[in-house]
Amino acid sequence: MIVWINGAFGVGKTTTAGLLMERLPDAKVFDPEYVGYLLTRFITSPTGDFQDLPLWRHLVVETMSGLAQQYPHIWVAPMSLINPAYREQILDGIRADGVEVREVVLTLPEEQLRARIDADQIDVAARQWRHDHVARALTSFAAVTGAHVVDASQPPEQVADAIAMSIRPVPSR
């Protein structure tokens, strides 16, 4: 299974993924950004965003599907997919390969999201990028269907608990 943690840039996906690993035995994190970092060493996206590279989207589907099929763990993917067409291409592509995908969307009101972006001292270089994409992300994620939406304004541990509870199998009686 793949748990895809989606949401605006800076909403807390990476923090949540780390906490989720503590709650799900045998879970592993794979950040699809690594595929982008690999590609951009060799090619340049005309837009400056590796998600706009068709090869990136193809490789993410192949990589995530391959990991899930060949290394059967719960795989946690903390990655913003704010372009609805890209989200559909990637998540549906993984599902078409026979892999279960549970998408979780972390949400925050705009003011809280911007404050969180400004407070981040770990990835300061990404601050402007995140701010530049807030409006588009909020619009995109407000329209998402078929995902488990989680309020990210609660403490990160509670966010991770809510996700863990939503993906655990219900015991049969």
Side-chain angles (χ1 to χ4, degrees):
M1 172 195 310
I2 294 170
V3 178
W4 196 286
I5 303 176
N6 212 338
F9 301 106
V11 76
K13 296 176 301 299
T14 301
T15 298
T16 300
L19 291 168
L20 198 53
M21 297 248 316
E22 298 171 6
R23 287 152 176 78
L24 299 171
D26 219 23
K28 297 188 180 302
V29 172
F30 180 80
D31 190 335
E33 277 193 352
Y34 291 121
V35 177
Y37 299 152
L38 170 79
L39 284 177
T40 56
R41 292 190 49 96
F42 305 102
I43 57 176
T44 303
S45 171
T47 65
D49 184 350
F50 58 71
Q51 287 194 18
D52 292 328
L53 296 169
L55 182 57
W56 177 80
R57 298 188 303 276
H58 170 77
L59 290 175
V60 167
V61 170
E62 293 301 313
T63 302
M64 295 301 304
S65 295
L67 286 170
Q69 292 167 344
Q70 295 183 32
Y71 304 95
H73 301 280
I74 293 176
W75 289 94
V76 180
M79 184 76 199
S80 294
L81 295 173
I82 64 174
N83 180 315
Y86 297 174
R87 175 182 166 265
E88 181 179 345
Q89 179 184 357
I90 290 170
L91 300 182
D92 288 354
I94 296 168
R95 289 179 179 119
D97 284 342
V99 177
E100 181 181 3
V101 178
R102 304 261 186 109
E103 182 186 15
V104 176
V105 175
L106 303 183
T107 62
L108 273 178
E110 182 174 354
E111 317 76 54
Q112 289 181 10
L113 177 59
R114 289 190 184 278
R116 189 172 286 179
I117 291 168
D118 288 337
D120 183 357
Q121 297 302 311
I122 296 172
D123 198 0
V124 176
R127 188 173 289 156
Q128 191 58 54
W129 171 269
R130 292 172 176 174
H131 275 297
D132 291 346
H133 291 82
V134 165
R136 184 173 177 208
L138 293 176
T139 300
S140 179
F141 293 122
V144 165
T145 59
H148 179 66
V149 178
V150 177
D151 177 7
S153 65
Q154 53 191 325
E157 294 78 13
Q158 289 180 8
V159 172
D161 288 342
I163 296 169
M165 292 302 294
S166 76
I167 62 171
R168 285 198 178 112
V170 177
S172 56
R173 295 187 181 231

